């Protein structure tokens, strides 16, 4: 299988803190890959490095075999790498319709178009409708984003990333803070993402990770601790020890 | 149901591009003042010019979230460019506007790289600094600008070769109004385009804007340049219609006043600058007539009240009224049925 996204010896230091410690990681094409690890392990930092929000201290990032280590964030998106944020990063004064419309028109090169009215192109409309339905946002399309219930905001968070039609999608704790009752719906939409999108999921809920992922990587103190199939990782006593806080001899 | 939603999406997006009745009325009334208020053309001309200047500030402040305390730099450069051009025999007003716009755009483009890095405080200081520097250059280069005495001997040819400027300011007002209107149409078009939408997204959340693939800096440079060109045209209009340019066009109070005008009228809907200019000038007229030495006191007080009362809330109320007048809320599309859980 081809490799969608790869890092080689990735390092990030914040002063004396080694937030990413020599991480060499591979995401296979079409993978459902989970990245787990305790709070402060460096998961979000890893995503920030991959997407170019911050620059690595050392190491390399390859997207579909091409070096993107020094590439500006927006160019990575245009090459098919999109992400969501652990803490909502939405456009509070815009509607979900405008938000999705924005992402769709940017992807189709419309963002430089300053003369046509947004939404006057047929294929853009179809795309917006498709995404709104997939993420169950059709009933709130014209609300101000800041007025949406939290669960809908979380859905929009994923919808915007998906609207970039990424080939690699990085989800940073998509269900964080979502009440139990709405979790299932959110996860169903994540599970229903098209198979040709390679997904890296950061998540704390182990039930979810085990049902979603086919591979799991464990990050501890910035370094890759172990990696394997769901079986291997879930039965690894060392993982239980560091991650689940259980003692090894249990 | 899918086509139903598609229709909803299309109308919802495209509606923003349509002109409301309130807007059409606004411009009809503006045109009517040409005939109905002939003895007021001088002050109306000033209002149109300040309105255009404030509109240019709204493009960066209201739509892209860029604060500036030195917008007079572009206004002043445009004024001097047009004035100096006319003084040296290039008397055609439209040529002057074009050159002024280009000069201001170049300055805007170059300084954008200084302005766009850093926090709001940095932006305020850098814009302020650029305007101060320009003011001092104009002061020193008196061989070119006339320095503290002002630029004398500006004499304009007729507009489009037909309309001579007159002492009542009728040609001046008609000219400024038409130019402002045309530039307004362009701005209005831009803010509802995908490009305009991307500016709003940058204002709201630049981190996320980048994460959907928007080249944030490039977009901001573009709008800053455009805004500078608009301000340059406003300055040129002032120079041409008063046939005089003084250091005052670059003074700090110009930058402060235009900010005040925009705050009075409200940011982020394009009419704010125009409405603010009307209120500002009328207030100035009324208060100055009543108690000239206290003008600054009253405008200061009004500013404090507006800001404390919450611009947002006031604007929101005006907007609701506005929509009511324009009859647009009544036409809002039917609510859509909730999405059923879709089998994918
Ligand atoms: N911008 C930053 N500056 C300094 N330290 C940071 C920064 N971002 C993250 N860190 C630190 O790096 C470590 C990893 O953080 P993070 O990647 O957010 O962990 P996780 O997402 O796994 O919970 C934490 O100790 C955090 O305090
Ligand atoms: Mg995190």
């Amino acid at each position: 299988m081809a490799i969608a996204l790869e890092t080689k010896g990735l390092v990030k230091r914040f002063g004396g803190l080694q937030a990413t410690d020599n991480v060499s990681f591979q995401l296979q094409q079409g993978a459902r890959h989970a990245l787990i690890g305790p709070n402060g392990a460096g998961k979000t930092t890893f995503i920030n490095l991959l997407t170019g929000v911050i620059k690595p201290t050392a190491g390399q990032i390859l997207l579909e075999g091409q070096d993107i280590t020094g590439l500006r964030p927006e160019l990575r998106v245009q090459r098919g790498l999109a992400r969501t944020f652990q803490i909502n990063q939405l456009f509070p004064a815009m509607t979900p319709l405008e938000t999705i419309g924005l992402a769709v028109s940017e992807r189709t090169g419309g963002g430089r178009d300053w003369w046509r009215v947004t939404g006057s192109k047929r294929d853009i409309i179809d795309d917006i409708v498709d995404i709104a339905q997939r993420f169950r946002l059709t009933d709130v399309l014209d609300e101000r984003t800041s007025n949406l219930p939290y669960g809908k905001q979380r859905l929009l968070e994923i919808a915007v990333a998906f609207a970039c039609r990424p080939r690699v999608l990085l989800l940073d704790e998509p269900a964080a803070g979502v009440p139990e009752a709405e979790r299932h719906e959110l996860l169903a939409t994540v599970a229903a993402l098209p198979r040709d999108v390679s997904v890296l999921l950061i998540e704390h809920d182990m039930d979810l990770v085990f049902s979603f992922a086919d591979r799991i990587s464990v990050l501890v103190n910035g370094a890759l601790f172990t990696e394997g199939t769901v079986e291997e990782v879930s039965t690894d006593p060392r993982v239980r020890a560091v991650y689940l806080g259980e003692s090894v001899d249990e | 149901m899918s086509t139903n939603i598609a229709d909803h999406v299309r109308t919802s997006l495209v509606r923003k591009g349509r002109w409301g009745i309130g807007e059409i009325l606004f411009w009809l009334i503006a045109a009517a003042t040409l005939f109905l208020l002939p003895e007021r053309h001088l002050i109306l001309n000033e209002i149109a010019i300040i309105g255009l200047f404030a509109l240019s500030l709204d493009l960066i402040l209201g739509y892209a979230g860029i604060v500036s305390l030195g917008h007079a730099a572009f206004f002043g450069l445009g004024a001097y460019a047009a004035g100096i051009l006319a003084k040296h025999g290039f008397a055609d007003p439209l040529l002057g506007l074009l050159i002024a716009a280009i000069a201001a755009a170049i300055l805007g483009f170059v300084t954008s790289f200084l302005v766009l890095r850093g926090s709001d405080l940095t932006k305020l200081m850098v814009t302020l600094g650029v305007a101060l520097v320009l003011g001092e250059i104009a002061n020193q280069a008196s061989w070119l600008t006339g320095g503290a005495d002002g630029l004398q001997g500006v004499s304009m040819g007729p507009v489009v070769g037909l309309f001579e400027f007159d002492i009542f300011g009728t040609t001046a007002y008609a000219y400024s109004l038409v130019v402002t209107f045309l530039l307004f149409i362009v701005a209005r078009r831009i803010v509802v385009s995908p490009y305009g939408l991307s500016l709003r997204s940058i204002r709201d959340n630049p981190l996320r804007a980048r994460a959907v693939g928007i080249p944030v800096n490039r977009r901001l440079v573009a709008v800053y340049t455009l805004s500078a060109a608009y301000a340059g045209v406003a300055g040129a209009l002032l120079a041409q219609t008063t046939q005089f340019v003084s250091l005052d066009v670059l003074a700090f109070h110009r930058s402060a006043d235009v900010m005040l005008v925009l705050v009075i009228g409200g940011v982020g809907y394009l009419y704010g600058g125009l409405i603010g200019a009307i209120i500002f000038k009328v207030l100035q007229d009324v208060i100055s007539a009543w108690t000239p030495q206290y003008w600054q006191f009253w405008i200061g007080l009004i500013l404090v009240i507006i800001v404390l009362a919450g611009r947002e809330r006031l604007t929101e109320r005006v907007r609701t009224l506005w929509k009511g007048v324009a009859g647009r809320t009544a036409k809002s599309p039917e609510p859509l049925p909730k999405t059923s859980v879709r089998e994918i």
Side-chain angles (χ1 to χ4, degrees), chain A residues 43-44 86 172-173:
Chain A
K43 304 180 297 294
T44 298
Q86 182 175 351
D172 195 352
E173 302 198 26

Side-chain angles (χ1 to χ4, degrees), chain A residues 35-51:
Chain A
L35 180 66
I36 63 173
N39 268 328
K43 304 180 297 294
T44 298
T45 302
F46 186 60
I47 302 279
N48 285 340
L49 288 169
L50 293 175
T51 52

Side-chain angles (χ1 to χ4, degrees), chain B residues 155-200:
Chain B
S155 88
M156 296 309 302
V159 180
V160 295
L162 292 174
F163 306 101
E164 291 281 358
F165 287 105
D166 55 275
I167 54 162
F168 308 106
T170 300
T171 302
Y173 176 46
Y175 173 51
S176 296
L177 186 62
V178 168
V179 170
T180 299
F181 178 59
L182 293 178
L183 289 181
F184 174 85
I185 291 177
V186 174
R188 198 190 179 292
R189 192 78 200 212
I190 289 175
V191 299
V192 296
S193 72
Y195 170 72
L197 190 58
S198 78
L199 290 177
R200 283 172 55 209

